[in-house]
Amino acid sequence: APMQVVILNGVFSNGYPSFEMAYYLKPMTFNTQICGYLIRQFPSDWTVFSGADGRPLEINVKFVSAQGCVRPDLQTISNALTS
């Protein structure tokens, strides 16, 4: 029987190319206070939510390569949330 696999914020090192993250939740903080959230719930796109009122924001999530993996650019998101 075929095996189904779900990748959750996972890191692996088995020689296969990177999997795109299916589910991801990152509280974004500023001065120790939560100012928003970065969420990915497959098959939806990456979404940034306001920490003040919970509404989705029109922030284009970009990516950076770090330690051999592609990750969301958290610095850009944090700057947008706190500007």
Side-chain angles (χ1 to χ4, degrees), residues 20-24 38-49 56 61 63:
E20 185 175 352
M21 285 182 257
Y23 299 96
Y24 185 89
L38 171 61
I39 296 175
R40 169 92 196 280
Q41 186 175 355
F42 185 81
S44 298
D45 287 331
W46 294 84
T47 307
V48 179
F49 289 88
V61 177
F63 299 88

Side-chain angles (χ1 to χ4, degrees), residues 28 59-64 72-83:
M28 303 298 297
I59 296 175
N60 183 21
V61 177
K62 298 183 189 228
F63 299 88
V64 295
D73 183 358
L74 300 179
Q75 185 65 47
T76 302
I77 295 165
S78 179
N79 289 343
L81 283 168
T82 58
S83 62

Side-chain angles (χ1 to χ4, degrees), residues 5-81:
V5 177
V6 176
I7 306 297
L8 302 173
N9 295 2
V11 176
F12 65 96
S13 137
N14 59 6
Y16 289 100
S18 282
F19 291 104
E20 185 175 352
M21 285 182 257
Y23 299 96
Y24 185 89
L25 169 62
K26 171 70 174 161
M28 303 298 297
T29 59
F30 179 73
N31 289 336
T32 70
Q33 299 294 316
I34 293 178
C35 59
Y37 297 90
L38 171 61
I39 296 175
R40 169 92 196 280
Q41 186 175 355
F42 185 81
S44 298
D45 287 331
W46 294 84
T47 307
V48 179
F49 289 88
S50 166
D53 59 15
R55 65 184 170 84
L57 303 174
E58 302 262 342
I59 296 175
N60 183 21
V61 177
K62 298 183 189 228
F63 299 88
V64 295
S65 180
Q67 300 173 355
C69 296
V70 176
R71 302 275 186 225
D73 183 358
L74 300 179
Q75 185 65 47
T76 302
I77 295 165
S78 179
N79 289 343
L81 283 168

